[in-house]
Amino acid sequence: MARMQRSVRSSACGVIGVVLASCAHPAPAPAPAESGAAAVQGAPSPARSESWQLDRSTFDAAAPPCTDFYQYVCGGFAANTAAIPADRAALDAAHDAANASSRAIIAAILTGDDPPRPEDAGDVTRLRTFFASCMAHGDAAERAGRATLGHWLAVVDGIRDRGGVQAALRTLHQAGFPILFQYAGEPDPAARTKYRAEIEVGTLGGRRLLRDPAADPAAYRGHVEAQLAAAGTPAAQARHDAQVVVDLERALVRASPTRDEENDPALAQHVMPPAALARVAPHIAWPAYLAMVGHAAGAPVNVAWPRYLAVVDGVLARRPLADLCFADRWGGPLVAR
């Protein structure tokens, strides 16, 4: 199973029961099977509608299942997949097929003109109206987009001191921009019928790339530089600011949880009162922030990754102000999504 590191995974790779059956009784050659997307488009046969069947389209029948189970179950998928697309980091047959089917169904609901069931008519009509209103194209949409972008850049451009950074951070978080960190509500493991407050890692544009020590960050830096240049930043300034973004994000990525850590929920349990939260990150204005998100006074909060939040605190306290809020040159950490 070590070959799962290929980043090309199959829908059948997790079917542990197959290995038992395969080792006891050699499996027949795989029968052709419809992909998830094709099955959604065509009407299922009576036999398929009555029972679930194992999709063997990803199998390699020539591989010995008891010697190389990965190749046996996933070899067909890998052999029929020429390459990972340039805009993807990995392929996953199961998730990709399920996502394609879901997108097709949702698109049919949102863009269709067929009359919905009477009991769904109101909701479907509203959904179609909202979807159509957000899919505008042309000059009007471009002007509206520029106005919206200009509004948020003005928020950052108005920062004059570190107090202004805190105020801008609250404003952006309130609008749903997970800058540097994010506040969320998650099920409480100690009380399954309740939710609890959590402070989690924020959105980092280059997280996947920058946490790989063998990766070259030049591509990400070039992307940020191109965005700055497209916004009218002079070439030399764009190169400088792009490097600022990469350096800042690299520091945050190093403090972020690894994939293995993220897969162990026990490592993300650090419930504490607001007073302890202030000790982890003393330079963040927590009273104002918690009041903004509606956090109950004195209620505990789970800080999923304290080491990450401590690095964020250091960034806010010690990074030059120009590194945090160059809104007029687009791409600064406080406006990058």
Side-chain angles (χ1 to χ4, degrees):
M1 299 296 284
R3 274 183 258 176
M4 292 291 285
Q5 296 173 356
R6 293 174 179 174
S7 293
V8 179
R9 296 182 290 167
S10 164
S11 60
C13 291
V15 186
I16 302 302
V18 174
V19 71
L20 302 177
S22 299
C23 291
H25 307 286
E34 298 180 44
S35 68
V40 170
Q41 296 171 0
S45 65
R48 290 181 68 91
S49 65
E50 292 172 0
S51 63
W52 290 95
Q53 296 184 11
L54 181 62
D55 178 4
R56 291 179 176 272
S57 63
T58 64
F59 283 29
D60 177 3
C66 298
T67 303
D68 192 344
F69 184 59
Y70 178 91
Q71 181 63 27
Y72 173 69
V73 177
C74 307
F77 175 67
N80 294 322
T81 303
I84 299 175
D87 63 339
R88 299 282 300 278
L91 292 179
D92 187 318
H95 290 113
D96 291 350
N99 288 340
S101 298
S102 297
R103 285 194 296 270
I105 293 170
I106 293 171
I109 293 173
L110 295 176
T111 62
D113 54 8
D114 56 306
R117 296 181 304 178
E119 61 269 28
D120 298 332
D123 289 337
V124 171
T125 299
R126 282 189 288 272
L127 285 171
R128 288 176 175 173
T129 301
F130 293 151
F131 181 77
S133 68
C134 294
M135 295 300 290
H137 297 284
D139 293 342
E142 181 69 16
R143 288 193 298 272
R146 287 180 177 275
T148 300
L149 179 61
H151 166 76
W152 292 114
L153 292 178
V155 170
V156 182
D157 202 27
I159 296 173
R160 295 292 178 268
D161 52 33
R162 295 193 183 274
V165 172
Q166 299 278 338
L169 192 68
R170 292 193 295 271
T171 299
L172 290 164
H173 276 217
Q174 190 173 35
F177 295 89
I179 308 300
L180 297 178
F181 66 91
Q182 55 186 314
Y183 176 97
E186 297 291 342
D188 188 345
R192 295 293 183 177
T193 61
K194 298 180 180 179
Y195 276 68
R196 70 179 182 188
E198 289 200 357
I199 302 294
E200 301 174 350
V201 174
T203 296
L204 300 173
R207 183 181 180 191
R208 179 173 294 180
L209 173 67
L210 296 178
R211 71 175 164 186
D212 181 356
D216 182 1
Y220 181 57
R221 183 174 60 246
H223 169 72
V224 176
E225 183 179 336
Q227 299 305 305
L228 291 163
T233 306
Q237 189 66 55
R239 284 193 296 273
H240 172 271
D241 290 348
Q243 188 61 55
V244 168
V245 172
V246 171
D247 290 344
L248 192 154
E249 286 207 21
R250 185 185 282 113
L252 295 174
V253 167
R254 286 172 178 165
S256 300
T258 65
R259 286 195 179 99
D260 288 341
E261 289 174 327
E262 289 177 328
N263 290 332
D264 188 348
L267 298 179
Q269 308 303 315
H270 307 94
V271 181
M272 59 186 70
L277 174 62
R279 289 194 290 272
V280 173
H283 298 97
I284 297 177
W286 290 114
Y289 184 88
L290 294 176
M292 180 273 293
V293 297
H295 187 78
V301 59
N302 181 56
V303 179
W305 306 104
R307 70 169 185 261
Y308 173 84
L309 190 61
V311 172
V312 169
D313 186 77
V315 165
L316 292 173
R318 292 184 289 276
R319 281 272 177 171
L321 195 62
D323 288 0
L324 299 176
C325 54
F326 48 83
D328 58 321
R329 299 194 299 272
W330 176 247
L334 283 182
V335 296
R337 292 277 327 252

